[in-house]
Amino acid sequence: MTAPAATDRTSSARPFSYPRPGSSLHCGAVSLETLAKKYGTPLYVYSADQIIERLQMFQAAFAQREHLVCYAVKANSSLAILKLLAEHGAGFDIVSGGELERVLAAAPQATCRVVFSGVGKTAAEIDLALNAEILSFNVESEAELDLLADRARKLRKKARFSIRVNPDVFAETHPYISTGLHEHKFGVSMKTALAMYKCVAQNRWLEPHGISVHIGSQIASADPFGAALDRVHTLVRQLERAGIAINAIDAGGGLGIDYHARAFDPEKRVQAYAKAVNTALHGFQGKLLIEPGRFLVAQAGALLTRVVNVKRNGKKTFVVTDAAMNDLIRPALYQAYHEIVPVKPRAGKPRAVDVVGPVCETGDFFARDRALGPIQPGDLIALLDAGAYGMAQSSNYNTRPRPAEVLVEKSKARLIRRRETIADLLATEII
Ligand SMILES: *Cc1c(COP(=O)(O)O)cnc(C)c1O
């Protein structure tokens, strides 16, 4: 692969590019070669500028109605990223007490913009959120609504809640991240939701806030979002006829990106999404909440890794990197595709290689039969679109310390998480 071809692989949807022919891969104005020297590898590198740009795409697309973008913390929960998003007006969608603690640590002023999703909230987690006075609980079952009422009464705090409905809408995505069909564990049926709102209408510790829905992740088409919200809007009207006012509709997250090198226009995708949402909710005067995760952070991030060796087994060539499935599990878990580019492209013909980590699992691969230009031990390569569900799903499997993280703002890079040490890993253990 020659340098220009490598440039093509970093589409304009990504903050990673080769500024000039012959130069190395940059994030904004910062060279990844320099970052690798300074902070070591494997290293997650994120563009703060792109994260804000994506947030603002949603804010602009919904400027005509009252809205709040609640970033889904689980996509990337690093404190510096939460702080950055909060400073630009984002709220948060959390799925655990731990994620709430992160918001409290990074952006305590934003707890009033937090919604709490998840099918198994414990009493302790509910208490934490009641005391933090979050915006709303997205309630996923009748038992949970009972528990919420019970905890609210005990703490003498009014709990605002939204019932998460399961719209029974099919969204084309990976089966592990599809959530909007009746066979999934998430939410309650439309009929149950109606009965639940009616049942608690007189409870002085519960305040109906809205209706929420989340149909899955990495959904490219706007149609399923429209279909789900059509149903939610119907339920809102039914509730209104029953005398129950709904102040907010939470449309969930799930808008997908394009992990391949094809031309992808994020702004067009957000606009198509906004159009589908606004069409379905035409006439609804309340507040719109959305919970994007991946769309805000995935393309802002890359996993920078050094090639440890290049190994031949019969006809196959393996490029072994110092990053592994414990650092980025998406290829192993979802058969996910990540674009891989050299930091300093070498001249020569591309050939098919497997890019693998050193972990003792055959599933420890980043790419199979991928056409890459010449690669030598010691070279740096970058796995693109790794900002979402990368570091957040990392582990210490094989007693591997997790990577450091760097956030790039314009021409400045700063460490936002130091590399773990073996001492960190052993600290909790008792012999
Ligand atoms: C995971 C999740 C999201 C975010 O999904 P993305 O695909 O990252 O946008 C939003 N809301 C809920 C309830 C979730 O579980």
Side-chain angles (χ1 to χ4, degrees), residues 72 74-75 93 117 164 214 216-218 253-255 291-294 389:
K74 74 174 191 284
D93 169 52
S117 304
R164 175 166 174 187
H214 172 73
S217 196
Q218 184 49 11
L255 191 62
E291 304 170 349
R294 186 193 312 269
Y389 306 105

Side-chain angles (χ1 to χ4, degrees), residues 3-249:
T7 310
D8 293 342
R9 288 193 165 206
T10 63
S11 86
S12 59
R14 300 178 177 123
F16 298 93
S17 65
Y18 305 93
R20 291 168 304 282
S23 70
S24 66
L25 189 66
H26 281 56
C27 177
V30 177
S31 151
L32 268 65
E33 226 174 1
T34 312
L35 292 178
K37 263 190 207 127
K38 185 157 181 200
Y39 300 108
T41 55
L43 182 72
Y44 274 103
V45 181
Y46 309 110
S47 160
D49 304 313
Q50 173 163 104
I51 293 171
I52 296 315
E53 188 185 299
R54 291 287 172 100
L55 172 65
Q56 289 172 345
M57 274 181 202
F58 284 105
Q59 290 170 334
F62 291 110
Q64 299 309 313
R65 56 162 76 237
E66 193 190 348
H67 72 277
L68 177 64
V69 180
C70 292
Y71 166 66
V73 172
K74 74 174 191 284
N76 185 321
S77 54
S78 297
L79 297 178
I81 289 176
L82 302 185
K83 181 165 184 273
L84 175 75
L85 284 161
E87 282 167 357
H88 288 81
F92 298 100
D93 169 52
I94 59 164
V95 291
S96 72
E99 287 190 350
L100 179 54
E101 297 283 12
R102 286 188 168 276
V103 175
L104 286 165
Q109 79 283 6
T111 45
C112 58
R113 302 197 296 264
V114 167
V115 297
F116 193 172
S117 304
V119 291
K121 300 176 193 79
T122 64
E125 289 177 315
I126 289 173
D127 288 0
L128 184 70
L130 282 169
N131 284 323
E133 301 187 343
I134 65 164
L135 176 61
S136 179
F137 290 83
N138 288 346
V139 171
E140 303 225 10
S141 66
E142 291 173 85
E144 188 186 306
L145 190 56
D146 290 344
L147 179 62
L148 180 62
D150 185 49
R151 299 317 305 171
R153 183 174 47 79
K154 287 218 169 77
L155 297 183
R156 311 193 74 76
K157 298 246 181 207
K158 201 155 187 160
R160 277 174 301 276
F161 73 95
S162 305
I163 293 176
R164 175 166 174 187
V165 295
N166 187 322
D168 203 16
V169 162
F170 178 73
E172 184 76 52
T173 184
H174 190 281
Y176 287 7
I177 51 177
S178 174
T179 58
L181 282 175
H182 64 84
E183 71 222 46
H184 296 134
K185 68 182 176 186
F186 302 97
V188 302
S189 73
M190 297 293 196
K191 232 175 106 192
T192 308
L194 187 58
M196 283 166 73
Y197 282 110
K198 283 183 181 165
C199 182
V200 300
Q202 304 306 322
N203 188 315
R204 58 182 288 215
W205 300 108
L206 293 178
E207 181 185 324
H209 175 71
I211 298 177
S212 78
V213 68
H214 172 73
I215 55 174
S217 196
Q218 184 49 11
I219 299 165
S221 158
D223 299 342
F225 295 104
L229 289 169
D230 257 337
R231 295 184 181 190
V232 169
H233 201 184
T234 302
L235 179 60
V236 170
R237 293 194 193 100
Q238 286 172 337
L239 285 163
E240 271 166 5
R241 280 197 293 276
I244 299 164
I246 291 298
N247 307 320
I249 290 177

